[in-house]
Amino acid sequence: MMLLRGTFVHTPELGQLVILKDHLVSVDADGFIAHFESAISSASKSLIDSSDGHILSIPTGSFVLPTFCDLHLHAPQFLYQGNGLDLPLMQWLDKYTFKAEERIDGDPALARKVYEKLAARLIEHGTGAILLFGTIKEETNLILAQAMQSAGIRAFIGKLSMDISSRPTYVESSAAASLASAESFTQKCAELVRHLPPHRRMVEPVLTPRFVPTCSDELLKGLGKLSEERSLRVQSHMAEAEDLIRWMESERGMKDTNMFDTSNLLTPRTVQAHCTYLSDSELDHVHDTGTSIAHCPLSNVYFSARPFKLREALRSGVKVGLGTDIAGGYSVDVMSAMRQAVVVSRMRESERVTKGEKHDDSLAINWKESLYLATRGGAIALNLPLGTGAFQVGAPFDAQQINVYDLNSGSGIGQLDFFDANEVFEIGEDVVEKWWCIGDTRNRSRMWVQGDVVQPSA
Amino acid sequence: MMLLRGTFVHTPELGQLVILKDHLVSVDADGFIAHFESAISSASKSLIDSSDGHILSIPTGSFVLPTFCDLHLHAPQFLYQGNGLDLPLMQWLDKYTFKAEERIDGDPALARKVYEKLAARLIEHGTGAILLFGTIKEETNLILAQAMQSAGIRAFIGKLSMDISSRPTYVESSAAASLASAESFTQKCAELVRHLPPHRRMVEPVLTPRFVPTCSDELLKGLGKLSEERSLRVQSHMAEAEDLIRWMESERGMKDTNMFDTSNLLTPRTVQAHCTYLSDSELDHVHDTGTSIAHCPLSNVYFSARPFKLREALRSGVKVGLGTDIAGGYSVDVMSAMRQAVVVSRMRESERVTKGEKHDDSLAINWKESLYLATRGGAIALNLPLGTGAFQVGAPFDAQQINVYDLNSGSGIGQLDFFDANEVFEIGEDVVEKWWCIGDTRNRSRMWVQGDVVQPSA
């Protein structure tokens, strides 16, 4: 059993920031929260008394926050993060993406190097759970799964399904071959961790039709059937870009939302990235199917002409979390995604105000709402174990320690400056807000997933 | 004389990125560039031969870039950076700004602490030249000037002029008193550095009507006259926010652009922040007056319902640079301003595309254009000495060393990962682009202003 005492910060509901001072959490041997109360409650006191002093004390000037969830990241594209972003989506895929993914599939040593480094960067940035797109090749995705399991990150691994491609050498040979490969991967990925108790299995396979243009009708329907039969997770991209929409209309005569829908790929186990071209009624339909959305604000700025209707999606009750979309977005940092989500939403609201449109609630989200999306919202969208993304008894202890002020030196940590700080430094809303604005990896000293400390190793 | 040999990167013209490999710069005793050529030219060779080996070698994996210019930052607001940003402009000024500035004016020790820390943060972020708003009180602005001169940063210091205020205790007593105070400060600020040769004088006073709502007609006209008589620089905020525009119409019956114009405050010595509510014809007029604009993209997202017409301004030939607008923007980092400028401009272009409007050139700027704005564009907007913001003979050597890859450890520096790097690591456009996307203060090892190394000391 592990005991931690200090300040805890979380967002149990959208827009609600809760700061719990001098609280005690106990984490059981399986990594679940067994107790969470004020440290001076009688139950806490007896835990402290029986602990023989083995309590991890979170120092003044630090707080514990749930880990971040990243709902959309292309692991192989980490290879060329921050390059070529000025191109339109379909051109960018041709010039950079398919080539890089083919290269990773052809070089297991490179794949291992890239994926281990990615895991280290995720830990550095406080990402404890992640939904990943991989490559076509089964073996490469098993390397990815191993890298994440070893690092201790909750990772949902998507072997790409694509029987259509603009790159003749980077494609699966038929719908049948693609389906067989998807099924085989899901089994081998599960086998990787079968020897572990369920709560120590960090990785899980995800059916991953890349996006509709790369999947035949037969493949989509086959994946929908497989998902239903085996209760498998699904992820893809949906309604992302203007050129994609036009392509779909001319080639398939149908919207990709309809294609996913009729193939049974909109399910409570599905996360769809982007969804920038959905109407309000389509958002309602997404909600009705139980599908979650990965909102990738930075990537949308580069690859989608429309910003995501975040407020409308939240209003419809759609489960939404944030995605970094490496390398469509250039930053692996969920904090950057939070800030960008606020920027994009404020610009949407501003445009409405400028037009003179009046509505009851603002389209803008505030920083607290973005923090919810990055933690609790993401955990709900991913169907993580009960209570993940907030601190409550029964939830796995997935947390990060954030240090903002050092009492010994009397100075702020990283980019944070506090000119009014003194010996009774208090973690108030203003302090968390300042961290949200200018905090970075230097403010993060520790991360736990399922109660275990995870540390960058690459 | 100082000799540096290595890779230099600059943007002499908008949109043009120039990477100069194995070049040699010599900097004379006064801090000006005396020679800049390929290191293997005959002139370079003879300089190297006569140098007795005293050459600073910029290692493989590093490059030298001009320092950043920040055209708009409120020094006293650094006190509460990253707080309260959800409020509308006029409310935010009342609740946070005036209070904080009054406090700084009442506590010289606090002012010194805040301003020295600010100088250290600017150096850490590669900002070599800055246009600053201070507070009302003369002495506090002299503390600010001293802090910047000691740090070695080119700083243009604005003692605020404001004879109207919503805070009764934070205002100047009359237009006459305000003008006398402005004049007195400009003299004392100049006296601070009079003992130094002109090129070592890093600080200079700037007439600073806060914005029109805080200045009587008499004060504005008096400042215009003073600026003309003494050739003094001017800065203010112009056409920033909806509530400001409405207030101006009802209280003064005139736009603030007209108020500045008729008071002779739009001059080639003027930088106006924001200007988000200017029409194309007003931008043309701004150009005709020689006025520069400080584009503050992050701050605009929070406090202006409209994004700045950046492309239109550039097309009109207006001199534009970037501003962080601490604390209206939360980040002191010009790199963050560059990234945000691209985001905002892309969203403007996307909106136009969505509406089906067609134009010859895009409203979006790319990362290279943003780098120009942050360096050369800013230097031109500030009328810095000839050639500042690029590397050319006769220009002051204002530069920052950026390290992206360490040859010894074989790994990227800070957030940068290079999976294809080897012993012949080349600084190409892709490397500079990656740094632009995910680089941070950890990639900066050194900054020079006027040939002198400046280092954080606070």
Side-chain angles (χ1 to χ4, degrees), chain A residues 209-282:
Chain A
R210 180 176 204 123
F211 65 151
V212 177
T214 63
C215 298
S216 65
D217 293 10
E218 189 187 345
L219 176 53
L220 289 174
K221 289 202 191 302
L223 290 170
K225 194 158 163 276
L226 191 59
S227 166
E228 199 172 354
E229 285 170 4
R230 311 273 172 93
S231 280
L232 288 167
R233 290 172 180 269
V234 177
Q235 66 180 336
S236 194
H237 303 85
M238 190 161 77
E240 179 180 6
E242 189 79 29
D243 51 355
L244 164 63
I245 302 280
R246 274 198 302 267
W247 185 93
M248 281 296 302
E249 274 169 13
S250 69
E251 295 287 317
R252 310 285 270 266
M254 208 191 245
K255 283 187 177 180
D256 61 352
T257 43
N258 302 123
M259 295 287 294
F260 283 124
D261 208 14
T262 55
S263 307
N264 290 320
L265 287 165
L266 300 184
T267 77
R269 302 175 304 282
T270 303
V271 178
Q272 289 284 2
H274 309 307
C275 299
T276 47
Y277 279 80
L278 294 188
S279 65
D280 286 2
S281 65
E282 284 175 311

Side-chain angles (χ1 to χ4, degrees), chain B residues 211-284:
Chain B
F211 66 151
V212 177
T214 63
C215 298
S216 64
D217 293 9
E218 189 186 345
L219 176 54
L220 289 174
K221 288 201 192 302
L223 290 170
K225 194 156 165 275
L226 190 59
S227 166
E228 200 172 354
E229 285 171 1
R230 311 272 171 93
S231 281
L232 289 167
R233 289 170 181 271
V234 177
Q235 67 180 336
S236 193
H237 304 84
M238 190 160 78
E240 180 180 6
E242 189 80 29
D243 51 354
L244 164 63
I245 304 279
R246 275 200 301 268
W247 185 93
M248 280 298 300
E249 275 168 11
S250 70
E251 295 287 318
R252 311 284 272 266
M254 209 190 244
K255 282 186 177 181
D256 60 352
T257 43
N258 303 122
M259 295 288 293
F260 283 124
D261 209 13
T262 55
S263 307
N264 290 317
L265 288 165
L266 300 183
T267 78
R269 304 175 304 281
T270 304
V271 178
Q272 289 284 3
H274 309 306
C275 300
T276 46
Y277 277 80
L278 295 188
S279 66
D280 286 2
S281 65
E282 284 174 312
L283 283 171
D284 285 338

Side-chain angles (χ1 to χ4, degrees), chain A residues 303-408:
Chain A
F303 291 113
S304 176
R306 288 196 195 160
F308 174 58
K309 295 181 167 183
L310 174 57
R311 175 63 71 201
E312 295 88 328
L314 293 170
R315 214 191 281 136
S316 293
V318 178
K319 296 173 284 177
V320 183
L322 298 176
T324 59
D325 194 17
I326 291 287
Y330 46 72
S331 172
V332 78
D333 188 359
V334 172
M335 292 194 73
S336 162
M338 286 198 286
R339 292 170 192 147
Q340 213 55 58
V342 170
V343 163
V344 168
S345 73
R346 289 189 72 99
M347 287 189 70
R348 289 190 71 222
E349 173 64 14
S350 289
E351 198 198 325
R352 193 167 66 162
V353 167
T354 303
K355 282 185 188 153
E357 296 175 26
K358 293 284 168 209
H359 289 260
D360 288 342
D361 61 346
S362 172
L363 295 182
I365 63 159
N366 62 34
W367 68 271
K368 293 177 203 170
E369 290 175 306
S370 79
L371 186 58
Y372 170 88
L373 295 177
T375 53
R376 182 89 180 115
I380 291 171
L382 281 172
N383 277 318
L384 295 188
L386 191 71
T388 312
F391 298 116
Q392 64 180 66
V393 171
F397 188 66
D398 285 19
Q400 49 182 322
Q401 181 178 332
I402 304 295
N403 311 315
V404 293
Y405 181 74
D406 177 26
L407 200 62
N408 296 322

Side-chain angles (χ1 to χ4, degrees), chain A residues 62-212:
Chain A
S62 297
F63 59 91
V64 178
L65 186 81
T67 53
F68 295 135
C69 297
D70 187 341
L71 300 198
H72 189 53
L73 188 152
H74 293 264
Q77 297 179 21
F78 189 59
L79 184 62
Y80 67 98
Q81 177 193 25
N83 279 145
L85 290 162
D86 288 345
L87 294 172
L89 178 60
M90 301 298 248
Q91 288 176 42
W92 185 75
L93 290 172
D94 269 349
K95 181 163 177 202
Y96 287 90
T97 312
F98 292 161
K99 209 179 295 181
E101 293 179 9
E102 188 175 10
R103 203 181 140 206
I104 293 251
D105 268 349
D107 185 347
L110 177 65
R112 187 162 288 111
K113 195 172 157 187
V114 170
Y115 292 163
E116 285 176 355
K117 187 73 202 184
L118 173 62
R121 290 291 186 199
L122 293 174
I123 294 169
E124 198 183 342
H125 287 85
T127 300
I130 189 152
L131 181 56
L132 291 164
F133 273 57
T135 53
I136 292 180
K137 197 176 173 186
E138 180 178 288
E139 290 80 354
T140 318
N141 295 292
L142 292 172
I143 293 171
L144 177 55
Q146 277 159 341
M148 295 296 150
Q149 177 72 31
S150 302
I153 298 171
R154 269 180 220 289
F156 303 92
I157 316 282
K159 192 209 91 71
L160 296 183
S161 296
M162 49 188 288
D163 59 348
I164 303 171
S165 172
S166 54
R167 191 169 175 86
T169 50
Y170 194 65
V171 65
E172 291 173 297
S173 59
S174 68
S178 180
L179 284 169
S181 172
E183 192 171 357
S184 167
F185 169 71
T186 60
Q187 285 167 0
K188 291 199 181 146
C189 185
E191 273 163 29
L192 264 190
V193 291
R194 192 158 296 154
H195 64 288
L196 296 167
H199 59 275
R200 296 290 171 204
R201 296 174 190 165
M202 291 292 118
V203 298
E204 198 186 306
V206 186
L207 297 180
T208 306
R210 180 176 204 123
F211 65 151
V212 177

Side-chain angles (χ1 to χ4, degrees), chain B residues 30 33 54 75 141 167 197 231 283 287 318 388 397 416:
Chain B
D30 290 341
I33 296 175
H54 288 108
N141 294 293
R167 191 166 174 88
S231 281
L283 283 171
H287 167 259
V318 178
T388 312
F397 187 67
L416 279 73

Side-chain angles (χ1 to χ4, degrees), chain A residues 79 103 110 113, chain B residues 60-61 404-407 409-413 416-426 430-431 434:
Chain A
L79 184 62
R103 203 181 140 206
L110 177 65
K113 195 172 157 187
Chain B
T60 298
V404 293
Y405 181 74
D406 177 26
L407 199 63
S409 67
S411 52
I413 291 169
L416 279 73
D417 295 307
F418 298 97
F419 298 102
D420 291 314
N422 54 36
E423 285 172 20
V424 290
F425 187 89
E426 292 272 342
D430 56 333
V431 171
K434 194 185 265 269

